Amino acid sequence: MDYATLLQILDSTIRLATPLLLACLAGLYSERSGIFDIGLEGKMLMAAMSTGAVAALTGSVWIGLLAGISGAVLFALVHGVASITFRGNQLISGVALNFVASGITVLIAQSLFRQGGRTPPLSGEARFNPITLPFAEALSGVPILGPLYSEVLSGHGALVYIALLAVPVTWWVLFRTRFGLRLRAVGENPASVDTAGISVIRLRYGAVVITGILCGLAGAYMAAGLQAGFGKEMTAGRGYIALAALIFAKWRPWYALMATLLFGFFQALALRPDVIKNTVGFDVPVPALDALPYILTVIVLAGFVGRAIPPRAGGEPYVKER
């Protein structure tokens, strides 16, 4: 593999890892507060449809982004009401939202555009256009590091950089702020938080809303950044992969970045069967390459990467003692 090919794969890795990273951070906030959210997939799908539809109708990707975030937050609040207010089973609520999103997104898109459940192709201001970082052209001639900066780090849409920035912001919020301390405490021992006079319900709803916002960004990027419009089941299991990456990362932001980049790298490799052939010396079936991220997900969930201990109060509705 030459350096130019490596740069292309790394560029694809960042693009493909972005929705995984945003969804993984979304799950991190939710599960740190004690709310297991298997419905990341449904929220991403709803956001992708909302963004694709509104961006196609208005011609503005930013209005589409607001619509995508709104759709994901709406689904997140439904999950919050079911899990927090009515103390329902969190896993069942998440799965139900995934099924609802799978059907309602296609139904709405078909009703609006009559294109088989898809939105019209997005272009121009209806998509996230590449952003050239400062000095990218000037440094492109520098050996090794120049092309890495100008071809891999530069030239992505705004949401890619927002996703990367969200990692240190999440670390700071969770581990350096009063809100983060309380959020983590709610996920470990909500009774002690309640005893201190802090509302457990309010904190968990706050985490659920943050989850919806980040899933909205992930879905919007898929519809208006990674691709050019919404298509049926376009998330293709990325919400579940993000959950596997979250377990792999042991619920820590920086580890989440590394885990999602690893998953993104496997997805990027699946798009380059020629590289695999030149590396291993024989043809690898394309379906086998496509299955690589999902095989890694099974390996992670099977516990072959070490034991991951979730928040102790995760998945358990809080009942205030009287």
Side-chain angles (χ1 to χ4, degrees):
M1 182 191 306
D2 58 19
Y3 189 54
T5 302
L6 177 62
L7 292 178
Q8 292 173 2
I9 293 177
L10 292 178
D11 179 69
S12 297
T13 296
I14 293 177
R15 297 179 191 276
L16 293 168
T18 295
L20 297 178
L21 177 58
L22 288 167
C24 187
L25 293 177
L28 176 63
Y29 278 100
S30 181
E31 297 200 6
R32 278 287 189 174
S33 73
I35 302 297
F36 285 168
D37 193 351
I38 204 171
L40 299 177
E41 179 89 359
K43 285 188 277 290
M44 290 171 64
L45 199 58
M46 188 66 188
M49 187 281 299
S50 300
T51 299
V54 174
L57 292 171
T58 63
S60 171
V61 69
W62 299 108
I63 298 177
L65 174 61
L66 290 176
I69 292 175
S70 299
V73 169
L74 177 62
F75 265 47
L77 288 175
V78 171
H79 181 59
V81 169
S83 303
I84 302 172
T85 303
F86 293 108
R87 303 174 190 143
N89 187 294
Q90 297 172 11
L91 297 181
I92 293 176
S93 173
V95 171
L97 285 176
N98 288 340
F99 281 120
V100 170
S102 178
I104 198 172
T105 50
V106 175
L107 178 63
I108 294 174
Q110 175 65 13
S111 300
L112 289 175
F113 304 106
R114 304 292 180 183
Q115 295 188 14
R118 300 180 61 88
T119 61
L122 303 178
S123 61
E125 296 300 318
R127 290 196 69 195
F128 291 105
N129 295 312
I131 297 175
T132 302
L133 296 181
F135 311 111
E137 294 183 5
L139 296 175
S140 61
V142 178
I144 301 178
L145 295 180
L148 183 66
Y149 178 73
S150 61
E151 297 181 26
V152 177
L153 298 180
S154 181
H156 298 286
L159 291 187
V160 173
Y161 302 112
I162 290 175
L164 294 175
L165 183 62
V167 176
V169 169
T170 296
W171 174 84
W172 180 78
V173 168
L174 287 178
F175 297 100
R176 290 295 184 271
T177 67
R178 183 179 300 176
F179 171 77
L181 174 63
R182 291 174 174 177
L183 192 71
R184 289 184 289 121
V186 163
E188 296 292 337
N189 191 342
S192 64
V193 176
D194 193 21
T195 302
I198 302 168
S199 174
V200 173
I201 292 177
R202 186 178 302 169
L203 279 171
R204 286 187 166 179
Y205 265 111
V208 164
V209 169
I210 295 173
T211 298
I213 293 172
L214 290 171
C215 282
L217 294 174
Y221 175 74
M222 290 206 63
L226 191 61
Q227 300 184 31
F230 169 78
K232 181 180 179 182
E233 303 289 356
M234 70 180 303
T235 49
R238 283 178 172 87
Y240 300 107
I241 294 178
L243 285 174
L246 181 59
I247 297 171
F248 187 42
K250 295 179 171 59
W251 293 271
R252 294 183 175 273
W254 290 107
Y255 291 171
L257 173 62
M258 292 183 284
T260 51
L261 285 174
L262 176 63
F263 279 85
F265 179 73
F266 273 91
Q267 289 183 330
L269 276 182
L271 300 175
R272 294 297 302 269
D274 57 316
V275 174
I276 301 294
K277 180 181 179 181
N278 293 334
T279 302
V280 301
F282 56 87
D283 287 320
V284 178
V286 174
L289 297 177
D290 290 335
L292 277 177
Y294 305 96
I295 293 173
L296 183 59
T297 300
V298 173
I299 292 174
V300 169
L301 293 178
F304 291 109
V305 293
R307 187 181 179 189
I309 302 175
R312 284 184 296 176
E316 299 177 2
Y318 177 66
V319 180
K320 187 173 183 176
E321 295 181 2
R322 299 185 181 277

